[in-house]
Amino acid sequence: MIARPLTAHPLRTLSDDDLVTRFRTGDDAPFDEIHRRYRTQLTAFARRMLRGTGHDADDVVQDALIRAYRGLRVTDRPMALRPWLYMIVRNRALDELRTPQRAGTYDDEFALNAVPTPDAAECVQERDDMRRLVAEIGRLPERQRMALVMREFDGCSHVETARRLQTTVPATKSLIIRARSNLGAAVHAA
């Protein structure tokens, strides 16, 4: 009998949808793969949002992944995993930005009054808008969605996006323009 060499972990070959499905059955291993697959990208996204504020992107992403872990288990609705994860990180980063940084030299009352707190209705509206946006991103044609996510969320250049999609830079720009246009039309129609 010939022993086959161990290659890539089998979970790495699964699609996001397959990982979510397996995770929802109670198997925690798929979430480890989700974590491995997206943590670096999500942290880079959080760092861009929090740049220069003194807030910790790693903490934001860790909390977002904990929320994702819980959220995936409480619903069985279909989802576009990647945009959903970015939405959670974005919301956590915005929450973090709304929280004033405590400094030892500031009076507590001054620190609390220095940053205006958002209106609850405004927060609800913002989250509803984000949910609609993520749903619409999930409805985009696959190549448009991939180009848009790589460019906007991953911060890839047009050259890198074209390389990953195995296309030309002008074709990539066209995909992104069409994705933005379709997304804008869908969001404004809602």
Side-chain angles (χ1 to χ4, degrees), residues 117-132:
T117 56
D119 179 77
E122 184 180 317
C123 288
V124 169
Q125 181 61 44
E126 187 176 291
R127 286 204 170 119
D128 287 345
D129 291 346
M130 183 54 66
R131 283 189 182 102
R132 267 195 306 278

mmCIF file with all atom_site columns, all heavy atoms in Angstrom, residues 117-132:
data_model
loop_
_atom_site.group_PDB
_atom_site.id
_atom_site.type_symbol
_atom_site.label_atom_id
_atom_site.label_alt_id
_atom_site.label_comp_id
_atom_site.label_asym_id
_atom_site.label_entity_id
_atom_site.label_seq_id
_atom_site.pdbx_PDB_ins_code
_atom_site.Cartn_x
_atom_site.Cartn_y
_atom_site.Cartn_z
_atom_site.occupancy
_atom_site.B_iso_or_equiv
_atom_site.pdbx_formal_charge
_atom_site.auth_seq_id
_atom_site.auth_comp_id
_atom_site.auth_asym_id
_atom_site.auth_atom_id
_atom_site.pdbx_PDB_model_num
ATOM 1   N N   . THR A 1 117 ? -22.181 61.701 20.560 1.00 0.00 ? 117 THR A N   1
ATOM 2   C CA  . THR A 1 117 ? -22.670 60.335 20.397 1.00 0.00 ? 117 THR A CA  1
ATOM 3   C C   . THR A 1 117 ? -23.729 60.333 19.310 1.00 0.00 ? 117 THR A C   1
ATOM 4   O O   . THR A 1 117 ? -24.535 61.258 19.207 1.00 0.00 ? 117 THR A O   1
ATOM 5   C CB  . THR A 1 117 ? -23.266 59.793 21.714 1.00 0.00 ? 117 THR A CB  1
ATOM 6   O OG1 . THR A 1 117 ? -24.296 60.678 22.144 1.00 0.00 ? 117 THR A OG1 1
ATOM 7   C CG2 . THR A 1 117 ? -22.189 59.667 22.770 1.00 0.00 ? 117 THR A CG2 1
ATOM 8   N N   . PRO A 1 118 ? -23.744 59.313 18.475 1.00 0.00 ? 118 PRO A N   1
ATOM 9   C CA  . PRO A 1 118 ? -24.714 59.270 17.384 1.00 0.00 ? 118 PRO A CA  1
ATOM 10  C C   . PRO A 1 118 ? -26.117 58.989 17.917 1.00 0.00 ? 118 PRO A C   1
ATOM 11  O O   . PRO A 1 118 ? -26.294 58.334 18.936 1.00 0.00 ? 118 PRO A O   1
ATOM 12  C CB  . PRO A 1 118 ? -24.219 58.114 16.519 1.00 0.00 ? 118 PRO A CB  1
ATOM 13  C CG  . PRO A 1 118 ? -23.444 57.258 17.446 1.00 0.00 ? 118 PRO A CG  1
ATOM 14  C CD  . PRO A 1 118 ? -22.865 58.181 18.489 1.00 0.00 ? 118 PRO A CD  1
ATOM 15  N N   . ASP A 1 119 ? -27.068 59.496 17.216 1.00 0.00 ? 119 ASP A N   1
ATOM 16  C CA  . ASP A 1 119 ? -28.461 59.253 17.523 1.00 0.00 ? 119 ASP A CA  1
ATOM 17  C C   . ASP A 1 119 ? -28.777 57.779 17.251 1.00 0.00 ? 119 ASP A C   1
ATOM 18  O O   . ASP A 1 119 ? -28.293 57.213 16.278 1.00 0.00 ? 119 ASP A O   1
ATOM 19  C CB  . ASP A 1 119 ? -29.303 60.175 16.621 1.00 0.00 ? 119 ASP A CB  1
ATOM 20  C CG  . ASP A 1 119 ? -30.777 59.995 16.839 1.00 0.00 ? 119 ASP A CG  1
ATOM 21  O OD1 . ASP A 1 119 ? -31.287 60.504 17.848 1.00 0.00 ? 119 ASP A OD1 1
ATOM 22  O OD2 . ASP A 1 119 ? -31.397 59.342 15.987 1.00 0.00 ? 119 ASP A OD2 1
ATOM 23  N N   . ALA A 1 120 ? -29.586 57.155 18.105 1.00 0.00 ? 120 ALA A N   1
ATOM 24  C CA  . ALA A 1 120 ? -29.909 55.733 17.944 1.00 0.00 ? 120 ALA A CA  1
ATOM 25  C C   . ALA A 1 120 ? -30.567 55.457 16.593 1.00 0.00 ? 120 ALA A C   1
ATOM 26  O O   . ALA A 1 120 ? -30.254 54.463 15.935 1.00 0.00 ? 120 ALA A O   1
ATOM 27  C CB  . ALA A 1 120 ? -30.805 55.268 19.081 1.00 0.00 ? 120 ALA A CB  1
ATOM 28  N N   . ALA A 1 121 ? -31.452 56.341 16.174 1.00 0.00 ? 121 ALA A N   1
ATOM 29  C CA  . ALA A 1 121 ? -32.127 56.152 14.883 1.00 0.00 ? 121 ALA A CA  1
ATOM 30  C C   . ALA A 1 121 ? -31.121 56.216 13.734 1.00 0.00 ? 121 ALA A C   1
ATOM 31  O O   . ALA A 1 121 ? -31.223 55.464 12.765 1.00 0.00 ? 121 ALA A O   1
ATOM 32  C CB  . ALA A 1 121 ? -33.208 57.203 14.690 1.00 0.00 ? 121 ALA A CB  1
ATOM 33  N N   . GLU A 1 122 ? -30.123 57.094 13.875 1.00 0.00 ? 122 GLU A N   1
ATOM 34  C CA  . GLU A 1 122 ? -29.081 57.204 12.858 1.00 0.00 ? 122 GLU A CA  1
ATOM 35  C C   . GLU A 1 122 ? -28.270 55.910 12.772 1.00 0.00 ? 122 GLU A C   1
ATOM 36  O O   . GLU A 1 122 ? -27.953 55.439 11.679 1.00 0.00 ? 122 GLU A O   1
ATOM 37  C CB  . GLU A 1 122 ? -28.163 58.368 13.224 1.00 0.00 ? 122 GLU A CB  1
ATOM 38  C CG  . GLU A 1 122 ? -27.085 58.683 12.237 1.00 0.00 ? 122 GLU A CG  1
ATOM 39  C CD  . GLU A 1 122 ? -26.236 59.852 12.706 1.00 0.00 ? 122 GLU A CD  1
ATOM 40  O OE1 . GLU A 1 122 ? -26.798 60.844 13.197 1.00 0.00 ? 122 GLU A OE1 1
ATOM 41  O OE2 . GLU A 1 122 ? -25.003 59.741 12.573 1.00 0.00 ? 122 GLU A OE2 1
ATOM 42  N N   . CYS A 1 123 ? -27.969 55.315 13.929 1.00 0.00 ? 123 CYS A N   1
ATOM 43  C CA  . CYS A 1 123 ? -27.221 54.051 13.948 1.00 0.00 ? 123 CYS A CA  1
ATOM 44  C C   . CYS A 1 123 ? -28.024 52.931 13.292 1.00 0.00 ? 123 CYS A C   1
ATOM 45  O O   . CYS A 1 123 ? -27.480 52.137 12.527 1.00 0.00 ? 123 CYS A O   1
ATOM 46  C CB  . CYS A 1 123 ? -26.871 53.651 15.380 1.00 0.00 ? 123 CYS A CB  1
ATOM 47  S SG  . CYS A 1 123 ? -25.591 54.671 16.117 1.00 0.00 ? 123 CYS A SG  1
ATOM 48  N N   . VAL A 1 124 ? -29.308 52.854 13.609 1.00 0.00 ? 124 VAL A N   1
ATOM 49  C CA  . VAL A 1 124 ? -30.170 51.821 13.029 1.00 0.00 ? 124 VAL A CA  1
ATOM 50  C C   . VAL A 1 124 ? -30.242 51.998 11.518 1.00 0.00 ? 124 VAL A C   1
ATOM 51  O O   . VAL A 1 124 ? -30.123 51.026 10.769 1.00 0.00 ? 124 VAL A O   1
ATOM 52  C CB  . VAL A 1 124 ? -31.577 51.857 13.667 1.00 0.00 ? 124 VAL A CB  1
ATOM 53  C CG1 . VAL A 1 124 ? -32.559 50.997 12.900 1.00 0.00 ? 124 VAL A CG1 1
ATOM 54  C CG2 . VAL A 1 124 ? -31.510 51.428 15.125 1.00 0.00 ? 124 VAL A CG2 1
ATOM 55  N N   . GLN A 1 125 ? -30.412 53.246 11.071 1.00 0.00 ? 125 GLN A N   1
ATOM 56  C CA  . GLN A 1 125 ? -30.491 53.516 9.638  1.00 0.00 ? 125 GLN A CA  1
ATOM 57  C C   . GLN A 1 125 ? -29.190 53.137 8.943  1.00 0.00 ? 125 GLN A C   1
ATOM 58  O O   . GLN A 1 125 ? -29.187 52.517 7.881  1.00 0.00 ? 125 GLN A O   1
ATOM 59  C CB  . GLN A 1 125 ? -30.798 54.994 9.378  1.00 0.00 ? 125 GLN A CB  1
ATOM 60  C CG  . GLN A 1 125 ? -30.913 55.342 7.908  1.00 0.00 ? 125 GLN A CG  1
ATOM 61  C CD  . GLN A 1 125 ? -32.037 54.598 7.218  1.00 0.00 ? 125 GLN A CD  1
ATOM 62  O OE1 . GLN A 1 125 ? -33.133 54.493 7.748  1.00 0.00 ? 125 GLN A OE1 1
ATOM 63  N NE2 . GLN A 1 125 ? -31.774 54.073 6.033  1.00 0.00 ? 125 GLN A NE2 1
ATOM 64  N N   . GLU A 1 126 ? -28.060 53.473 9.574  1.00 0.00 ? 126 GLU A N   1
ATOM 65  C CA  . GLU A 1 126 ? -26.757 53.144 8.992  1.00 0.00 ? 126 GLU A CA  1
ATOM 66  C C   . GLU A 1 126 ? -26.569 51.637 8.861  1.00 0.00 ? 126 GLU A C   1
ATOM 67  O O   . GLU A 1 126 ? -26.091 51.142 7.847  1.00 0.00 ? 126 GLU A O   1
ATOM 68  C CB  . GLU A 1 126 ? -25.648 53.735 9.864  1.00 0.00 ? 126 GLU A CB  1
ATOM 69  C CG  . GLU A 1 126 ? -24.279 53.612 9.271  1.00 0.00 ? 126 GLU A CG  1
ATOM 70  C CD  . GLU A 1 126 ? -23.240 54.302 10.122 1.00 0.00 ? 126 GLU A CD  1
ATOM 71  O OE1 . GLU A 1 126 ? -23.262 55.543 10.182 1.00 0.00 ? 126 GLU A OE1 1
ATOM 72  O OE2 . GLU A 1 126 ? -22.412 53.592 10.715 1.00 0.00 ? 126 GLU A OE2 1
ATOM 73  N N   . ARG A 1 127 ? -26.961 50.894 9.875  1.00 0.00 ? 127 ARG A N   1
ATOM 74  C CA  . ARG A 1 127 ? -26.839 49.433 9.817  1.00 0.00 ? 127 ARG A CA  1
ATOM 75  C C   . ARG A 1 127 ? -27.776 48.839 8.768  1.00 0.00 ? 127 ARG A C   1
ATOM 76  O O   . ARG A 1 127 ? -27.395 47.911 8.051  1.00 0.00 ? 127 ARG A O   1
ATOM 77  C CB  . ARG A 1 127 ? -27.109 48.823 11.189 1.00 0.00 ? 127 ARG A CB  1
ATOM 78  C CG  . ARG A 1 127 ? -25.949 49.059 12.121 1.00 0.00 ? 127 ARG A CG  1
ATOM 79  C CD  . ARG A 1 127 ? -25.885 48.034 13.222 1.00 0.00 ? 127 ARG A CD  1
ATOM 80  N NE  . ARG A 1 127 ? -24.637 48.189 13.927 1.00 0.00 ? 127 ARG A NE  1
ATOM 81  C CZ  . ARG A 1 127 ? -24.522 48.481 15.201 1.00 0.00 ? 127 ARG A CZ  1
ATOM 82  N NH1 . ARG A 1 127 ? -25.605 48.620 15.936 1.00 0.00 ? 127 ARG A NH1 1
ATOM 83  N NH2 . ARG A 1 127 ? -23.351 48.609 15.766 1.00 0.00 ? 127 ARG A NH2 1
ATOM 84  N N   . ASP A 1 128 ? -29.002 49.375 8.673  1.00 0.00 ? 128 ASP A N   1
ATOM 85  C CA  . ASP A 1 128 ? -29.923 48.898 7.634  1.00 0.00 ? 128 ASP A CA  1
ATOM 86  C C   . ASP A 1 128 ? -29.360 49.175 6.234  1.00 0.00 ? 128 ASP A C   1
ATOM 87  O O   . ASP A 1 128 ? -29.437 48.318 5.358  1.00 0.00 ? 128 ASP A O   1
ATOM 88  C CB  . ASP A 1 128 ? -31.298 49.560 7.774  1.00 0.00 ? 128 ASP A CB  1
ATOM 89  C CG  . ASP A 1 128 ? -32.091 49.026 8.954  1.00 0.00 ? 128 ASP A CG  1
ATOM 90  O OD1 . ASP A 1 128 ? -31.715 47.967 9.498  1.00 0.00 ? 128 ASP A OD1 1
ATOM 91  O OD2 . ASP A 1 128 ? -33.089 49.679 9.331  1.00 0.00 ? 128 ASP A OD2 1
ATOM 92  N N   . ASP A 1 129 ? -28.797 50.369 6.064  1.00 0.00 ? 129 ASP A N   1
ATOM 93  C CA  . ASP A 1 129 ? -28.184 50.715 4.778  1.00 0.00 ? 129 ASP A CA  1
ATOM 94  C C   . ASP A 1 129 ? -27.039 49.758 4.457  1.00 0.00 ? 129 ASP A C   1
ATOM 95  O O   . ASP A 1 129 ? -26.894 49.310 3.322  1.00 0.00 ? 129 ASP A O   1
ATOM 96  C CB  . ASP A 1 129 ? -27.664 52.154 4.780  1.00 0.00 ? 129 ASP A CB  1
ATOM 97  C CG  . ASP A 1 129 ? -28.779 53.184 4.814  1.00 0.00 ? 129 ASP A CG  1
ATOM 98  O OD1 . ASP A 1 129 ? -29.948 52.818 4.570  1.00 0.00 ? 129 ASP A OD1 1
ATOM 99  O OD2 . ASP A 1 129 ? -28.478 54.364 5.091  1.00 0.00 ? 129 ASP A OD2 1
ATOM 100 N N   . MET A 1 130 ? -26.236 49.450 5.460  1.00 0.00 ? 130 MET A N   1
ATOM 101 C CA  . MET A 1 130 ? -25.096 48.549 5.247  1.00 0.00 ? 130 MET A CA  1
ATOM 102 C C   . MET A 1 130 ? -25.590 47.145 4.902  1.00 0.00 ? 130 MET A C   1
ATOM 103 O O   . MET A 1 130 ? -25.030 46.496 4.022  1.00 0.00 ? 130 MET A O   1
ATOM 104 C CB  . MET A 1 130 ? -24.200 48.521 6.483  1.00 0.00 ? 130 MET A CB  1
ATOM 105 C CG  . MET A 1 130 ? -22.968 47.666 6.298  1.00 0.00 ? 130 MET A CG  1
ATOM 106 S SD  . MET A 1 130 ? -21.940 48.037 4.860  1.00 0.00 ? 130 MET A SD  1
ATOM 107 C CE  . MET A 1 130 ? -21.341 49.643 5.274  1.00 0.00 ? 130 MET A CE  1
ATOM 108 N N   . ARG A 1 131 ? -26.622 46.676 5.561  1.00 0.00 ? 131 ARG A N   1
ATOM 109 C CA  . ARG A 1 131 ? -27.173 45.348 5.245  1.00 0.00 ? 131 ARG A CA  1
ATOM 110 C C   . ARG A 1 131 ? -27.674 45.296 3.807  1.00 0.00 ? 131 ARG A C   1
ATOM 111 O O   . ARG A 1 131 ? -27.457 44.318 3.096  1.00 0.00 ? 131 ARG A O   1
ATOM 112 C CB  . ARG A 1 131 ? -28.281 44.988 6.218  1.00 0.00 ? 131 ARG A CB  1
ATOM 113 C CG  . ARG A 1 131 ? -27.772 44.560 7.565  1.00 0.00 ? 131 ARG A CG  1
ATOM 114 C CD  . ARG A 1 131 ? -28.875 43.993 8.444  1.00 0.00 ? 131 ARG A CD  1
ATOM 115 N NE  . ARG A 1 131 ? -28.316 43.647 9.719  1.00 0.00 ? 131 ARG A NE  1
ATOM 116 C CZ  . ARG A 1 131 ? -28.444 44.379 10.834 1.00 0.00 ? 131 ARG A CZ  1
ATOM 117 N NH1 . ARG A 1 131 ? -29.155 45.482 10.813 1.00 0.00 ? 131 ARG A NH1 1
ATOM 118 N NH2 . ARG A 1 131 ? -27.876 44.004 11.951 1.00 0.00 ? 131 ARG A NH2 1
ATOM 119 N N   . ARG A 1 132 ? -28.363 46.362 3.391  1.00 0.00 ? 132 ARG A N   1
ATOM 120 C CA  . ARG A 1 132 ? -28.846 46.428 2.009  1.00 0.00 ? 132 ARG A CA  1
ATOM 121 C C   . ARG A 1 132 ? -27.676 46.423 1.035  1.00 0.00 ? 132 ARG A C   1
ATOM 122 O O   . ARG A 1 132 ? -27.702 45.732 0.020  1.00 0.00 ? 132 ARG A O   1
ATOM 123 C CB  . ARG A 1 132 ? -29.694 47.683 1.789  1.00 0.00 ? 132 ARG A CB  1
ATOM 124 C CG  . ARG A 1 132 ? -31.172 47.455 1.985  1.00 0.00 ? 132 ARG A CG  1
ATOM 125 C CD  . ARG A 1 132 ? -32.009 48.595 1.425  1.00 0.00 ? 132 ARG A CD  1
ATOM 126 N NE  . ARG A 1 132 ? -31.658 49.904 1.916  1.00 0.00 ? 132 ARG A NE  1
ATOM 127 C CZ  . ARG A 1 132 ? -32.056 50.421 3.080  1.00 0.00 ? 132 ARG A CZ  1
ATOM 128 N NH1 . ARG A 1 132 ? -32.816 49.733 3.875  1.00 0.00 ? 132 ARG A NH1 1
ATOM 129 N NH2 . ARG A 1 132 ? -31.690 51.625 3.444  1.00 0.00 ? 132 ARG A NH2 1
#
